Amino acid sequence: MTSILVVDDVRSLAEQYAYDLKRLGGYEATVAESGKEALDVASLTPFHCILLDLEMPVIDGFEVLRRLRERDIRVPVIVYTGTGDYQRCVRAVQLGADGFIDKAESMHRVVHEIESVLERVRLRGQVASLSAQLGREKLLVGSSRPMEELRAAIVRVSRIPSPVLILGESGTGQELVALEVHALLSSDTTDVLPFLALNCAALPESLIESELFGHERGAFTGASKTRRGAFETAGSGTLFLDEIGELPLATQSKLLRVLEQREITRVGAHKTIPVLARIITATNRDLDTEVCEGRFREDLLYRLNVHVLKTPALRDRRSDIPELVVHFTASICGRFGIRQKRMAPEVLDRLMARDWHRNNVRELRNTVERLIVAAEGETVSVGDMPPEFQSDDPVLSVTEAGTFAEQKAEAERQIVVSALGRNEWHISQTARDLGLSDHSSLLKIMRRHGITKN
């Protein structure tokens, strides 16, 4: 239900507004009798919109707008006035108000203005989200069996609001998995839900709690103003905590309480704030080992791993490398504003033969960028590759994980993808190269492994 905060120093008028808003718009309305009370309530409870009187003693509507902005409380505000002086309303809009009305307006007009403002905010959010998606590379590239299994698992857990723990080696795309879960969660609502990522390993230990839970002004040296933490900022969206295994034990205890109670307390405050965000965490550590060695709380692990997603290492899905290379090449050339390049089949074979154990997909992407910059022509050849790729002819390797049947399937997929690349995806020629009876036999194998030309 849409929640509205009505702020007016005349309580009877505020209560009448609240009653009519519920009657005509079906809103859940809360009343605040002063600017101070409005700021206190808005700091603790998320609202969809604030209806704000400009003429109030002590802290008027203008000051409320200023302090909302200082405290980074992002909520649409509609101001109203009984003076008829619309220059004051213009001034309020300059301070961040999203709309204005006159106290003489009918309640139907007030409801219409609220709906209009909420729609504009929603559209702005959608535009921002679409712009971010256009500027972000395609998520989870690859059609190998491990990737298809991962996508199926993402679909299963995305509709369930419980915590998700993503496990995998560094560079395997854990944040991309979290974004996919969030995208599917967001598809169930017309609202644009925020996605907030926080790397726990990058936070100074002295600031971790402030970053996560926020702080009040004066809570510690340097806290010159009240600040919302990650849990509040994420709102009803998704909070992604990367490198969760790096959290200090003291913070782990507080995070456990947040997950159990679904509420936080800012540093230096006493009031609790409800937590609405879905929590997704990720780590490349073995948390069971961390628990045994006393570096990670067992009870917190059980709270985090309600659902577990595992990102496969690149060496376990080598047949996805040509597809990843095509994607990275197009993206990098477009970003640099240079003519599109292609990789010679021999280059792809050498890339597929590598283990990529240092940084997986991230390492592959960096290698592709180096190759594009190094190559003078439109085709990247073996001669453009770094010295570590210049040794003997590569031999395709099978996956290191999975059952015999899974390893056999991945090896077969690698062989077919490599052969298609060598023959520029000419089906009949590739079938002859592989010694198959005809092109239909190759097509059948390609369908079985989900192999398509990019």
Side-chain angles (χ1 to χ4, degrees):
M1 181 182 291
T2 302
S3 57
I4 309 292
L5 175 62
V6 182
V7 187
D8 198 310
D9 60 311
V10 181
R11 184 170 185 83
S12 59
L13 182 59
E15 291 179 341
Q16 185 63 49
Y17 265 103
Y19 172 79
D20 288 336
L21 288 173
K22 183 174 183 179
R23 177 175 59 87
L24 296 176
Y27 304 130
E28 179 182 346
T30 302
V31 169
E33 294 184 60
S34 67
K36 181 181 183 306
E37 183 181 356
L39 291 167
D40 291 341
V41 173
S43 296
L44 297 174
T45 307
F47 290 95
H48 292 94
C49 185
I50 295 178
L51 195 60
L52 176 65
D53 183 18
L54 286 176
E55 289 82 31
M56 294 186 295
V58 188
I59 300 178
D60 63 9
F62 298 108
E63 184 61 23
V64 170
L65 287 168
R66 275 190 288 268
R67 296 192 188 183
L68 286 173
R69 186 166 59 185
E70 286 176 0
R71 299 182 185 187
D72 195 29
I73 299 175
R74 302 177 186 180
V75 56
V77 178
I78 299 172
V79 298
Y80 63 86
T81 177
T83 66
D85 184 356
Y86 283 98
Q87 289 302 316
R88 292 170 60 80
C89 293
V90 171
R91 180 184 162 203
V93 170
Q94 292 171 342
L95 286 172
D98 296 88
F100 59 86
I101 55 175
D102 191 285
K103 284 186 177 180
E105 305 255 22
S106 69
M107 283 306 301
H108 289 284
R109 169 73 180 82
V110 175
V111 170
H112 180 268
E113 181 64 18
I114 291 174
E115 291 296 326
S116 298
V117 166
L118 292 178
E119 178 65 10
R120 289 199 299 273
V121 170
R122 186 182 69 82
L123 290 175
R124 283 202 302 267
Q126 284 186 341
V127 169
S129 178
L130 290 172
S131 298
Q133 290 177 24
L134 288 172
R136 189 173 65 224
E137 294 181 347
K138 177 184 174 185
L139 307 182
L140 298 182
V141 175
S143 51
S144 61
R145 176 172 294 185
M147 290 304 291
E148 292 302 322
E149 290 175 350
L150 176 59
R151 288 191 183 93
I154 289 172
V155 171
R156 286 196 299 271
V157 306
S158 62
R159 302 292 195 268
I160 305 168
S162 308
V164 175
L165 175 62
I166 304 172
L167 302 176
E169 296 178 9
S170 177
T172 52
Q174 294 168 325
E175 184 168 347
L176 298 183
V177 172
L179 280 165
E180 286 280 10
V181 174
H182 172 74
L184 290 173
L185 174 69
S186 300
S187 66
D188 288 339
T189 176
T190 57
D191 296 330
V192 178
L193 302 178
F195 176 90
L196 180 63
L198 201 65
N199 189 326
C200 299
L203 297 175
E205 189 168 344
S206 59
L207 295 178
I208 286 180
E209 291 185 17
S210 173
E211 291 290 335
L212 289 174
F213 313 127
H215 63 255
E216 292 294 319
R217 179 180 179 182
F220 51 85
T221 302
S224 57
K225 62 180 182 179
T226 298
R227 186 179 185 277
R228 303 168 77 194
F231 281 94
E232 282 186 82
T233 304
S236 300
T238 300
L239 175 59
F240 173 57
L241 300 177
D242 199 5
E243 304 284 5
I244 191 67
E246 307 298 328
L247 275 185
L249 284 169
T251 309
Q252 290 179 30
S253 300
K254 295 186 177 181
L255 178 59
L256 175 63
R257 175 177 173 80
V258 170
L259 295 174
E260 290 177 338
Q261 305 295 329
R262 298 297 298 176
E263 62 185 23
I264 61 168
T265 303
R266 291 179 186 157
V267 178
H270 301 287
K271 295 181 180 178
T272 59
I273 302 171
V275 170
L276 305 177
R278 179 177 191 168
I279 310 302
I280 302 178
T281 55
T283 183
N284 55 21
R285 289 178 176 265
D286 183 340
L287 292 185
D288 289 323
T289 299
E290 296 294 299
V291 168
C292 291
E293 296 181 359
R295 291 190 295 267
F296 201 84
R297 293 181 61 109
E298 185 175 27
D299 46 5
L300 176 58
L301 175 58
Y302 290 145
R303 281 288 179 181
L304 296 176
N305 68 356
V306 177
H307 302 288
V308 177
L309 297 174
K310 295 183 179 180
T311 54
L314 186 55
R315 61 182 173 276
D316 294 332
R317 58 181 188 109
R318 284 187 175 90
S319 58
D320 283 333
I321 288 178
E323 188 176 348
L324 285 162
V325 169
V326 169
H327 168 67
F328 289 146
T329 301
S331 172
I332 292 166
C333 289
R335 183 161 59 88
F336 290 167
I338 60 179
R339 181 176 295 180
Q340 289 292 324
K341 298 186 179 185
R342 62 181 292 273
M343 303 286 170
E346 298 80 15
V347 172
L348 290 175
D349 284 345
R350 290 174 185 266
L351 293 176
M352 290 176 68
R354 190 172 178 82
D355 281 341
W356 305 106
H357 62 280
R358 292 179 181 173
N359 227 332
N360 289 281
V361 179
R362 189 181 297 121
E363 184 184 355
L364 172 64
R365 190 198 180 287
N366 292 341
T367 299
V368 171
E369 182 170 326
R370 286 203 306 271
L371 293 177
I372 290 172
V373 173
E376 295 182 359
E378 293 185 12
T379 300
V380 178
S381 66
V382 172
D384 298 314
M385 302 188 80
E388 61 265 30
F389 291 91
Q390 299 287 354
S391 56
D392 299 334
D393 291 338
V395 177
L396 294 180
S397 305
V398 298
T399 175
E400 298 178 4
T403 64
F404 173 77
E406 290 170 342
Q407 294 185 48
K408 180 181 176 183
E410 173 63 14
E412 185 176 274
R413 194 173 193 274
Q414 288 181 47
I415 292 168
V416 172
V417 168
S418 180
L420 286 165
R422 287 195 306 272
N423 292 283
E424 298 183 341
W425 285 78
H426 190 286
I427 303 299
S428 297
Q429 186 173 321
T430 303
R432 288 193 296 271
D433 187 22
L434 292 173
L436 298 173
S437 58
D438 53 30
H439 74 279
S440 62
S441 299
L442 177 58
L443 289 173
K444 187 181 297 183
I445 295 172
M446 291 172 64
R447 282 194 295 271
R448 184 167 71 246
H449 292 295
I451 300 172
T452 57
K453 186 175 183 180
N454 300 317

